[in-house]
Amino acid sequence: MRSLLSFLIVLLASSTALAQGAPLESSVIASPSVFNIQSGAGSKVKVNYTFRVAAEGRRTSLTSRSGSFLTGKEIAGTRNLLLVVNIEKGYGEVTEIIEIPARVIDRVLEKGLKRFTYARVFTGQQGSLTATVEFNIMVTGLTVRSIELYFEGRKGEATIQRNHPLLKAYADIRLEGTGLLQGYWEVDGRILSRVNQPLTNVRDITIETPDIPPIPTSEPGMHRVGFVVTKPETRLALPSITYFVLPEELDGIHEYVPGQIIVALKEEDFVKGYADRLREKYGLEILDDYNLVSIGLRAVLFEAGENDILRIIDAIRKERIALVVQPNHIFRTMGADPLSERQYGNAVLKLGDIHARYMGRGAKVAVLDTGVDTEHEDLKGRIVLFKNFVRGNDYRAEVHGTAVAGIISSAINGVGIEGVAPEAELVALRACIQVSMRKATGDCFTDSLARALDAAIVNRVNIVNMSFGGEKDGLLARLMDKGIEEGIIFVAPVGNEVTQKDLPFPASHPGVVSVGGLDERMQPYPNPEVVKETSVNAPAVNILTTFPLNRYNFITGTSLSSAYISGLFALAVEKDGGIN
């Protein structure tokens, strides 16, 4: 797109006629004299140079090998293009299409300038004539220099109650010039409202989301807010911010535990007093510290109270002592409400035929979940170790963990159901807590999951079933990488949201077997788009399995799909003596 370009043409030419030894008078005209270019993007203009040289009977040629973009005496860029003009009877012309890179315009604007110069030097044969042409380019239009998004309190994330009356997001936009700013607010990729605002010589502007329509807060879970600039054209990477809507039964629970920070560093770097120094410097309280034996790290869990934990995390990271500094993330288990229709999973997998040869004997499967009922009639003989890692809690039997364990390894004992690997050993590691008596949903935390993963690795399990999901977590990633290095198979589901497009963590982590679901008609669950990103799929809908207190019920969710795959890996351990 073009905007006003004023050309001021000055030709300073001098020449020497070698034969006569007299100077030649010369002039040049560039046309047209006005061009439009648009700031914020590269531009292209076409210029025609017309030369007049004294001594009309003389034939000669002028050559220019490159042109330069200048801001004062500084070269902002160079255009390497050979131009040759033939002079005959004192006249010659040549056309140049000048491509002005966006980076040149950026440099001009960064200096606070509105104009720059394009210059060329033409020389004749054997230096018989030298001509320099230069012209000023005026830059007009609107340029977006930066965009920062935030919620109230200038935070990049927010956790709110379901149906919050008015959540506001703000965009601080730094601009140069005059023009029309167009764009739109979006939530989860859907347009919320459009912005169409003319601006004159404005450097900074703040735009907020409208009161009507408001940012939607009826759907529990994580959501993304973005501001997309459509005009002027910009090459900036557009930022986004996230907010988390709490389910009603999770009142007060955040996507990370409010006020908690995890700091982990190598054992040899954990000098006495380091945790106390952080406590005093940042006003923290030490809640817990523990060794992660498998990866040789010492982790400390801090409480920051009402302080801004993201600011503190950033400050501790800049000290470059700790290897991991992060919030204590919350993960959600991926089983839905109990249902009451028929079971079909075992028939799909033809477990009757498989059990004639393999039962999972010798395989050890860790279940990182809510508490598994160790006294259930179908699980009592299968659980070789159980342990609680949730701070402030004792081990207890809960729905989700018991359901997952039942799919993997319920015994063939004349009662209840059959697991996929009915002779595999279970290691029940309670790293999650059931949040409602009415639902199977569980919350898991970075600190509890980290200690459970460490225990699984130290106990040399073959398979780790992780039927939960959330945001990427650096500490958990380190532990899984270590386990993968030791030959452990990690299995995780994709989740149950019909609108989701991407794999959650840990299913998204390299080396983890990501599991999608299938319904009773063998259709992808929760949707085809996310299921196509998975490693493997298994039954997920209306699965009959174990519940606490010697009960059985139907449940739906890709947590059960993950359990099926973990059970199949246990069968493979018996068959082949190991897996990779």
Side-chain angles (χ1 to χ4, degrees), residues 177-357:
T178 296
L180 182 65
L181 177 66
Q182 291 182 326
Y184 55 86
W185 286 102
E186 64 174 11
V187 177
D188 296 335
R190 298 186 296 272
I191 294 177
L192 177 70
S193 64
R194 295 187 180 275
V195 172
N196 189 19
Q197 193 163 343
L199 301 171
T200 303
N201 293 325
V202 174
R203 295 187 62 86
D204 298 286
I205 186 173
T206 299
I207 298 174
E208 63 183 61
T209 51
D211 294 343
I212 301 175
I215 294 177
T217 59
S218 60
E219 184 67 28
M222 191 72 67
H223 304 278
R224 185 182 65 84
V225 178
F227 185 78
V228 178
V229 176
T230 57
K231 186 176 182 179
E233 180 183 347
T234 178
R235 295 177 293 127
L236 291 174
L238 299 177
S240 63
I241 51 179
T242 57
Y243 66 99
F244 185 80
V245 179
L246 297 170
E248 291 177 356
E249 70 273 14
L250 300 182
D251 186 19
I253 302 290
H254 294 233
E255 69 271 23
Y256 51 79
V257 181
Q260 291 189 5
I261 300 171
I262 294 177
V263 177
L265 66 162
K266 292 181 180 179
E267 274 286 352
E268 56 266 32
D269 293 336
F270 192 88
V271 295
K272 183 175 178 59
Y274 176 73
D276 288 334
R277 184 176 66 80
L278 293 182
R279 174 179 57 80
E280 293 174 1
K281 183 176 181 179
Y282 298 106
L284 307 176
E285 177 187 351
I286 299 175
L287 298 179
D288 198 3
D289 75 275
Y290 48 89
N291 291 329
L292 298 174
V293 178
S294 62
I295 55 176
L297 296 185
R298 173 77 69 87
V300 183
L301 180 64
F302 291 100
E303 170 65 49
E306 297 296 322
N307 295 322
D308 182 352
I309 69 168
L310 298 182
R311 178 186 59 79
I312 297 173
I313 286 171
D314 184 60
I316 297 175
R317 283 175 178 165
K318 289 178 180 178
E319 294 185 7
R320 300 187 180 278
I321 298 175
L323 294 178
V324 177
V325 187
Q326 64 175 65
N328 191 10
H329 288 123
I330 296 175
F331 295 80
R332 311 268 184 240
T333 55
M334 294 181 173
D337 293 340
L339 302 173
S340 58
E341 297 180 17
R342 62 187 178 84
Q343 179 192 11
Y344 67 101
N346 288 17
V348 168
L349 299 178
K350 296 182 171 55
L351 290 182
D353 296 336
I354 295 174
H355 288 165
R357 300 187 64 183

Side-chain angles (χ1 to χ4, degrees), residues 336-347 349 351 376-379 399-400 402-410 415-420 518 520 539-548 550-557 559-561 563-564:
D337 293 340
L339 302 173
S340 58
E341 297 180 17
R342 62 187 178 84
Q343 179 192 11
Y344 67 101
N346 288 17
L349 299 178
L351 290 182
H376 196 288
E377 59 188 351
D378 250 348
L379 296 171
V399 173
H400 196 272
T402 304
V404 166
I407 294 296
I408 295 172
S409 192
S410 285
V415 296
I417 64 171
E418 294 182 12
V420 178
L518 298 168
E520 293 165 299
V541 178
N542 301 343
I543 307 299
L544 181 62
T545 186
T546 49
F547 270 49
N550 285 328
R551 293 180 297 142
Y552 300 85
N553 209 331
F554 291 86
I555 191 169
T556 288
S559 285
L560 293 310
S561 309
Y564 273 117

